[in-house]
């Protein structure tokens, strides 16, 4: 580590940085960028993405927006003491102390340790009081330095080795509670929650052992500690790793923020659950991740299923991106014909030695080129890329199904989920079938995992019994009951899509454009993207048109806001103008999230304007029969676009409409914007 985490240039005292947390975060990100440590737009987008998962305002009047981001080059802390305070979502009111914790995506462990030390210090009232009383940025830097990089203790003469003291009778009588804390980024709330629980337990005379599943190395709780615990607390915003270790323990579960704000209450609830035979418990097997229903449950099944669906989509997207782009590259080198059956009556020169009967055994031109090797020239390279991409794309539905089941039931759900997805593909039920099999596999595995089993059978449950029975039930239901109806629905949708032309296709494009711009990477946006990408496997012109409409519409928001901030700077704040510059590249790359800082700061004006532009682009793409064989990449995959002029025209018109709409909305609105020339300084 050569650079300090915080310097005086990263400190702002008693400043008005805006009325919303988005404006404050953007201003602090600007400070980090001015110091040459990050890209402001990227850092703002990453921090706001983290805010969308859970607000970072905490009781005591402080907030710690934070993220790990590719936009960060040097781990940094930016601090603001706000006047007036700004709402960051804490229950007790707005925050006047704000730390923006910016960690590099590939940051080293030392920096993460320092960041977590700061997060832990923020639960100390004396530290917060010192921050409020500081009179200069230099004093703030010194205070922070004392907690993140404390001076080493003076050396002492070595003392004779002592025999480890046995636990006193009082200590041995203390009730033992084990806990797991984990937040999405694992650099702040995870450790603050752990310290809050430990401090509250000390006051109550309770022994608590906490496993922090953060960004650093996870030190698992010893098995004997878990075995002797009376209850467990899961204070997490993400899934608990290897939660089957806690099987059978009464459990209290909540988001990580509750452990920070109400640690004593959670400990009381845990001890009460330990005495309640009807309390909710972690599944009574060594492998199931689900819990038996009972008193104390805080996350409903509706929420769990929603989270599971999003988990499945999130894990599926890498297969889509890798497979789809490789297929597109295959088309670039081998031509679109490599996906079709070879014309055996008129073979190309590189296959002139293949007789008609042998040619007929190859399913696609790519297969024929693979058999000919480098004698097929550049087509051989295209065939290799196409084959790799096709295999990756083939995991799309199984991965969707498998990871939905995983989110519901943990590792025992993976096998039945993947198998169910594969069966769905085999039966022609497509991604709809994958959604259904993922839910069935996850729920069945979770249900079986709740069985109380004899000790001799416990070890077999997660690796044999649950996967076996859940796979059997899921596969059986698909073959006997659900497969044909789901296949009929999928076929009907495919046929309906293929038959769309003229007005109906335009309406579909408009709807998809509205969805892509509604929540900018949220569930509605993901639903439209899932519909388009899974349809690519049908390899039809209609599916290519849908993909083009979705991708082009998703490019509109960042490009439109980049344009708007360029032509009417006075309507936007200085951080927004800065974000607008970066939004050009984000939009051209089909990264809709580049518009999030704008939408978060002024949703009523920005989102409807972007939806209007997205609808124009989506409808025009369908009307002009623009197609895309690539699922991602924006203008960088123009080689995979059919009717490139139509694609560009649709995109440009949508961007212009959205930019004009947001400029008009802001011009007519009453929102008082900061002059673009205002600089934020310490």
């Amino acid at each position: 580590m050569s650079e300090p985490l915080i310097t005086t240039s990263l400190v702002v005292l008693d400043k008005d940085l805006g009325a919303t947390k988005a404006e404050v975060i953007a201003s602090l990100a600007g400070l980090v960028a001015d110091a040459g440590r990050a890209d402001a737009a990227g850092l703002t987008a990453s921090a706001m993405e983290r805010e969308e998962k859970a607000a970072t305002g905490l009781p005591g009047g402080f907030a710690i927006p934070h993220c790990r981001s590719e936009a960060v080059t040097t781990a940094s802390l930016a601090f603001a003491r706000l006047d007036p305070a700004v709402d960051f979502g804490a229950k007790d009111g707005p925050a006047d102390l704000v730390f923006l914790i910016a960690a590099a995506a590939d940051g080293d462990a030392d920096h993460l340790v320092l960041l977590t030390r700061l997060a832990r210090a923020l639960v100390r009232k004396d530290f917060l009081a010192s921050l409020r009383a500081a009179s200069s940025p230099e004093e703030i830097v010194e205070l922070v330095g004392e907690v993140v990089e404390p001076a080493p203790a003076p050396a002492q003469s070595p003392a004779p080795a002592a025999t480890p003291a046995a636990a006193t009778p009082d200590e041995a009588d203390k009730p033992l509670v084990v806990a797991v804390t984990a937040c999405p980024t694992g650099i702040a709330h995870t450790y603050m929650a752990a310290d809050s629980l430990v401090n509250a337990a000390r006051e109550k005379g309770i022994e608590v052992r906490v496993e922090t599943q953060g960004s650093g190395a996870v030190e698992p709780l010893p098995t004997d500690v878990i075995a002797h615990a009376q209850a467990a607390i899961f204070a997490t915003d993400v899934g608990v790793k290897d939660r089957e270790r806690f099987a059978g323990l009464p459990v209290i579960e909540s988001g990580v923020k509750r452990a920070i704000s109400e640690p004593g209450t959670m400990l009381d609830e845990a001890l009460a659950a330990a005495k309640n035979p009807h309390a909710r418990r972690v599944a009574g097997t060594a492998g199931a991740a689900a819990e038996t229903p009972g008193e104390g449950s805080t996350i409903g099944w509706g929420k769990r299923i929603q989270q599971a669906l999003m988990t499945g989509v999130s894990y599926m997207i890498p297969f889509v991106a890798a497979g789809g782009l490789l297929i597109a590259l295959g088309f670039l080198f081998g031509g679109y014909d490599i996906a079709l059956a070879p014309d055996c009556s008129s073979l190309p020169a590189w296959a002139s030695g293949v007789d008609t009967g042998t040619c007929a055994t190859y399913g696609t031109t790519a297969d024929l080129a693979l058999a000919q090797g480098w004698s097929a020239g550049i087509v051989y390279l295209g065939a290799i890329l196409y084959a790799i991409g096709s295999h990756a794309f083939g995991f799309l539905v199984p991965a969707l199904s498998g990871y939905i089941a995983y989110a519901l039931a943990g590792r025992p759900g993976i096998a039945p989920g993947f198998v169910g997805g594969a069966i769905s593909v085999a039966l022609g039920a497509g991604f709809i079938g994958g959604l259904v099999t993922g839910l069935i596999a996850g729920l069945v595995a979770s249900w079986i995992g709740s069985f109380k089993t004899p000790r001799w059978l416990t070890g077999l449950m997660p690796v044999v019994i649950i996967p076996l029975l859940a796979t059997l039930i899921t596969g059986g239901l698909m073959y006997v009951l659900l497969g044909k109806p789901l296949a009929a629905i999928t076929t009907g949708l495919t046929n309906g899509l293929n038959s769309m032309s003229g007005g109906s296709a335009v309406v579909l494009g408009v709807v998809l454009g509205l969805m892509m711009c509604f929540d900018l990477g949220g569930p509605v946006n993901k639903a439209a993207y899932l519909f388009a990408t899974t349809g690519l496997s049908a390899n039809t012109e209609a599916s290519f048109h849908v993909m083009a409409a979705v991708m082009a519409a998703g490019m509109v928001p960042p490009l439109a806001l980049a344009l708007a901030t360029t032509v009417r700077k006075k309507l936007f704040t200085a951080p927004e103008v800065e974000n607008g510059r970066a939004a050009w590249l984000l939009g051209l790359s089909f990264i809709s999230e580049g518009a999030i800082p704008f939408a978060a700061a002024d949703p009523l004006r920005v989102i409807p304007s972007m939806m209007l532009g997205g609808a124009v682009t989506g409808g025009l793409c369908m009307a002009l029969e623009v197609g895309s064989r690539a699922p991602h990449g924006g203008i960088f995959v123009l080689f995979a676009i059919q009717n490139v002029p139509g694609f560009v025209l649709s995109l440009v018109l949508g961007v212009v409409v959205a930019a004009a709409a947001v400029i008009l909305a802001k011009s007519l609105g009453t929102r008082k914007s900061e002059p673009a020339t205002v600089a934020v300084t310490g």
Side-chain angles (χ1 to χ4, degrees):
M1 278 181 312
S2 58
E3 296 186 61
L5 285 171
I6 187 169
T7 65
T8 54
S9 65
L10 298 175
V11 176
V12 174
L13 295 182
D14 306 321
K15 292 280 188 179
D16 180 358
L17 298 187
T20 67
K21 64 180 180 181
E23 292 173 313
V24 174
I25 289 172
S27 295
L28 290 175
L31 291 181
V32 180
D34 291 343
R37 294 165 169 241
D39 170 72
L43 174 56
T44 302
S46 298
M48 290 306 300
E49 182 180 359
R50 169 63 183 85
E51 287 289 319
E52 288 183 350
K53 295 175 181 175
T56 55
L58 292 165
F62 71 96
I64 49 168
H66 55 278
C67 64
R68 298 183 69 176
S69 173
E70 298 283 354
V72 178
T73 56
T74 303
S76 302
L77 298 172
F79 172 76
R81 192 167 66 198
L82 301 175
D83 184 15
V86 173
D87 182 17
F88 272 75
K91 291 182 179 178
D92 64 344
D96 64 329
L97 303 179
V98 180
F99 270 103
L100 173 63
I101 302 178
D106 57 351
D108 59 67
D110 290 341
H111 273 130
L112 293 176
V113 169
L114 299 184
L115 294 172
T116 56
R117 285 178 184 168
L118 170 69
R120 292 182 138 160
L122 287 169
V123 301
R124 289 168 30 202
K125 295 179 180 177
D126 61 327
F127 182 61
L128 294 176
S130 298
L131 292 174
R132 290 192 170 96
S135 57
S136 67
E138 288 77 9
E139 193 173 345
I140 294 292
V141 171
E142 183 179 353
L143 285 168
V144 174
E146 288 174 356
V147 298
V148 299
E149 296 174 296
Q156 297 180 352
S157 57
T163 303
T168 64
D170 287 344
E171 290 174 335
D173 292 339
K174 285 183 178 179
L176 172 61
V177 175
V178 290
V180 174
T181 60
C183 67
T185 50
I187 59 176
H189 290 78
T190 299
Y191 301 97
M192 297 170 71
D195 283 3
S196 294
L197 287 170
V198 170
N199 293 336
R202 189 179 296 120
E203 294 175 359
K204 289 178 174 291
I206 301 171
E207 182 179 1
V208 63
R209 299 286 295 275
V210 185
E211 179 177 306
T212 51
Q213 297 184 351
S215 294
V218 176
E219 184 175 349
L221 287 169
T223 304
D224 62 324
V225 171
I226 297 175
H228 289 90
Q230 277 78 59
I233 293 175
F234 292 161
T236 66
D237 292 331
V238 294
V240 177
K241 298 174 182 175
D242 300 326
R243 62 195 302 168
E244 63 272 13
R245 294 171 294 150
F246 303 90
L249 281 178
V251 62
I252 299 299
E253 188 172 12
S254 77
V256 69
K257 288 183 67 176
R258 187 173 182 234
I260 299 173
S261 58
E262 302 176 7
T265 303
M266 292 193 72
L267 287 167
D268 292 340
E269 292 175 355
L271 294 183
K275 300 175 183 177
N276 182 359
H278 303 294
R280 175 168 160 269
R281 295 174 181 269
V282 182
T285 71
E291 292 77 39
T292 58
E295 298 174 14
S297 178
T298 56
I299 298 179
W301 276 106
K303 181 66 174 177
R304 290 189 65 181
I305 289 175
Q306 180 191 358
Q307 291 176 342
L309 293 174
M310 290 299 292
T311 299
V313 173
S314 297
Y315 279 94
M316 180 201 74
I317 286 177
F319 290 91
V320 175
L325 290 175
L326 284 171
I327 289 174
L329 287 173
F331 290 146
L332 176 65
F333 290 104
Y336 294 124
D337 290 345
I338 62 173
L340 306 176
D343 183 359
C344 298
S345 63
S346 179
L347 288 172
W350 52 264
S352 57
V354 179
D355 60 73
T356 305
T358 303
C359 172
T361 63
Y362 296 108
T364 64
T365 302
D367 295 334
L368 177 59
L370 288 174
Q372 301 307 304
W374 284 111
S375 62
I378 195 69
V379 179
Y380 178 57
L381 177 60
I384 291 175
L385 294 170
Y386 175 80
I388 297 172
S390 296
H391 285 299
F393 221 69
F395 284 98
L396 193 152
V397 174
L400 173 67
S401 175
Y403 286 110
I404 289 174
Y406 168 73
L408 289 170
R411 285 182 296 177
I414 291 179
F418 265 82
V419 173
I423 292 173
S424 177
V425 173
L427 296 179
F431 83 95
I432 296 177
L435 292 172
V436 173
T437 55
L439 292 174
I440 292 175
L443 294 173
V444 169
S446 178
W447 173 60
I448 297 173
S450 68
F451 293 172
K452 293 182 178 179
T453 56
R455 185 178 295 276
W456 61 267
L457 188 60
T458 299
L460 290 176
M461 289 295 286
V463 296
V464 178
I465 306 300
I466 298 175
L468 171 64
L469 296 179
T471 301
L472 176 63
I473 294 172
T474 304
L477 284 173
M478 283 298 289
Y479 275 109
V480 176
L481 190 63
L482 300 175
K484 290 184 178 179
L486 290 173
I489 293 173
T490 301
T491 302
L493 286 175
T494 303
N495 292 338
L497 181 61
N498 290 335
S499 65
M500 278 189 169
S501 62
S504 59
V506 172
V507 171
L508 176 62
V510 169
V511 172
L512 291 173
L514 291 170
M515 293 175 69
M516 286 301 295
C517 301
F518 175 70
D519 53 358
L520 304 171
V524 177
N525 172 286
K526 286 289 190 299
Y529 187 65
L530 176 67
F531 174 69
T533 53
T534 54
L536 277 182
S537 59
N539 204 28
T540 63
E541 290 298 318
S543 65
F544 301 149
H545 295 163
V546 168
M547 189 68 251
V550 164
M551 185 159 66
M555 296 168 66
V556 166
L559 289 175
L561 289 163
L563 177 62
T565 54
T566 300
V567 300
R568 292 298 301 275
K569 291 182 180 178
K570 292 184 178 179
L571 293 175
F572 297 88
T573 64
E576 286 176 334
V577 172
E578 181 66 26
N579 289 340
R581 297 191 185 101
W584 285 111
L585 181 59
L586 296 174
L588 293 174
S589 305
F590 181 34
I591 300 176
S592 305
E593 285 82 352
I596 287 178
F598 299 89
D602 193 8
L604 294 181
R605 294 179 178 83
V606 172
I607 291 178
S609 301
M610 297 305 106
M611 291 176 68
L612 179 61
V616 170
T617 295
L620 280 174
C621 277
M622 297 298 277
L624 299 174
E625 298 184 348
V626 178
S628 173
R629 293 172 183 264
H632 211 289
I635 66 163
F636 301 102
V637 292
L638 281 180
F639 61 85
I641 299 294
Q642 302 166 345
N643 188 4
V644 172
F647 180 84
V648 174
L649 177 64
S650 303
L651 178 61
V652 169
L653 289 179
V655 167
V656 171
V657 169
V662 76
I663 288 173
L664 179 63
K666 284 181 175 287
S667 299
L668 297 177
T670 57
R671 179 173 175 264
K672 183 180 180 181
S673 301
E674 292 181 24
T677 54
V678 170
V680 180
T681 65

